[in-house]
Structure formats: C-alpha cells, structure tokens
Amino acid sequence: MSLDFLGSTLDTCTMKISNCFTLMRFCFAPVFFLLYFIPVWTHSVLLGKISAFVMIPLLAVFEFTDYLDGHYARKNGEVSDFGKLFDPFADVMLNLTVFFCGLYSSWRAGGYMPLIILLLIMYREFSMNFLRMIAMKNGVAIAARKGGKFKTVFYIISGFYMLALESACRLGIALPVDVAFLHIGAVCMFTVCLVLSYASFIDYLIHFIPVVKHDI
C-alpha cells in the first residue's frame, strides 16, 4: 500500500475539525443532563455543590465551540451543506437540554422553565429541522439568519441565568434579591426566547417557502 493511498484514505476518514467542534457540543448535551440531575436523583449535597461549581464553566466552554466550528470552517474552507445542518442541530440539542433541566428547581416547585413554553419551543425547533430537510431535498442548505442567531444567543443567556440561580441555591448562597422575583425574571426571559424563536421561524418561512412550495 503506497503512502499516498494511505494519506488519502486517512483524509477521507478524518472528520473536519469544524465538525469535530460541533460533535463535541452534540455529545455534551446528555453529559450536561446527567451533571444537572445526578445530585437530584442521589440527594447528595456534595454532588450538588460540585455540579454548581462546574455546570456554568463547562457549558461556557462547549457553547464557545459554536464560535470555533464556524471559525475553522471558514479558515480551512470546510463550509459544507452537512455543516450547515449539523451546526444548528447541535445547538438545538444542547440548548433544549439546558431548557429541559430548567423544569427542575432545587428551591421552587415548578422549576424555572414553564412546561408549556418548553413544549412550544420544541415544536418550533422540530418544525425548523423539518424545513431544513425539505430544503436540502431541493438542493438548498438553509444557513443561519440573523434572527436565528440572535434567538440562539438569547437562548444561551437565559440558560446561564437559570443556571446561576440553581447554582446559588445548591451552594446555599444568600441572594441579595428576593428569590421569587428572580424566578419571575427567569420565566420572563424564557418567554422572550419563545417569542424570538417564532419570530425567527416566520422569517425563515418567508425566505425559504418559495424553495419548497412545489413539495407542499
């Protein structure tokens, strides 16, 4: 076997570095879920404190991979239709996992994320993925638009806000503001997430329905 053939084979089998960063974000979603809930399931105060220290830093690192995959895709000329689908899919997996964790709160029944808001956001995200698949069938890869990017940023901000409250509770930190007021703030932020998600979805429909209308 020649070295040239071996090299070409390795190039074919090796995942692009941009997609590796996306894969890291995708794989971290179930890890984060376990990190959040294992202290709850085990009723371990120690594990609760450990999770409080590591949840936000770890999530920040893996959210940063969203920047890295785009950076290396452009730098190395790795922009592809697959990447345009895989990147938002990994975003959705991670962000919905964080939102699902927000259904539980250590200090208040009902959690930070109202169930109806999570359900409606899930409907939007599944519908968006369906639109992407139909567009791909017609040879069009739907890249993220400004509205979708802004929605994702607000998803992340809301998730970190919720985690900050939960971490403070697990660490027993006395908050300077009434906790009930802060909980209302979380509900308001997640409500804004819902509005932004559907506003961006309507924007995608307006721009890409002409691509798929003959399949309807």
Side-chain angles (χ1 to χ4, degrees):
M1 180 183 296
S2 69
L3 291 178
D4 289 341
F5 176 78
L6 178 61
S8 63
T9 302
L10 289 174
D11 288 340
T12 301
C13 295
T14 302
M15 180 178 288
K16 297 173 181 177
I17 187 170
S18 56
N19 291 335
C20 285
F21 284 119
T22 305
L23 181 63
M24 289 170 61
R25 195 160 64 258
F26 176 82
C27 292
F28 179 65
V31 174
F32 182 86
F33 175 83
L34 293 175
L35 182 64
Y36 191 93
F37 278 107
I38 284 178
V40 179
W41 298 332
T42 60
H43 304 287
S44 171
V45 175
L46 176 60
L47 290 178
K49 292 183 182 298
I50 292 173
S51 67
F53 278 115
V54 302
M55 282 190 299
I56 291 178
L58 278 179
L59 183 61
V61 168
F62 283 93
E63 290 288 7
F64 185 60
T65 63
D66 192 20
Y67 163 77
L68 293 176
D69 60 27
H71 170 74
Y72 281 102
R74 293 184 294 271
K75 179 181 178 181
N76 299 337
E78 297 176 351
V79 177
S80 65
D81 290 345
F82 174 79
K84 290 178 182 178
L85 287 174
F86 191 32
D87 177 53
F89 181 69
D91 289 342
V92 168
M93 287 290 292
L94 182 54
N95 290 323
L96 287 184
T97 299
V98 174
F99 286 178
F100 187 86
C101 291
L103 293 174
Y104 172 83
S105 169
S106 294
W107 60 268
R108 183 186 180 98
Y112 308 95
M113 163 69 84
L115 179 59
I116 184 62
I117 292 181
L118 176 58
L119 183 64
L120 291 173
I121 288 177
M122 288 177 62
Y123 286 163
R124 182 272 184 196
E125 298 298 345
F126 292 152
S127 298
M128 188 66 222
N129 282 335
F130 179 75
L131 179 62
R132 290 182 188 278
M133 288 188 293
I134 296 297
M136 180 63 72
K137 174 180 174 292
N138 289 276
V140 177
I142 299 179
R145 292 178 57 80
K146 289 183 179 180
K149 291 180 180 179
F150 182 71
K151 176 268 299 180
T152 300
V153 169
F154 205 84
Y155 274 16
I156 295 170
I157 293 172
S158 301
F160 278 121
Y161 177 82
M162 177 271 290
L163 289 177
L165 293 182
E166 179 64 18
S167 296
C169 179
R170 295 186 182 193
L171 293 172
I173 297 175
L175 299 173
V177 182
D178 182 62
V179 175
F181 177 78
L182 295 175
H183 178 270
I184 293 173
V187 173
C188 290
M189 292 184 73
F190 288 132
T191 301
V192 173
C193 287
L194 176 64
V195 173
L196 292 176
S197 70
Y198 277 89
S200 65
F201 183 57
I202 291 171
D203 176 61
Y204 281 109
L205 288 177
I206 291 173
H207 284 84
F208 292 100
I209 278 295
V211 176
V212 301
K213 64 180 181 181
H214 63 277
D215 287 331
I216 299 175

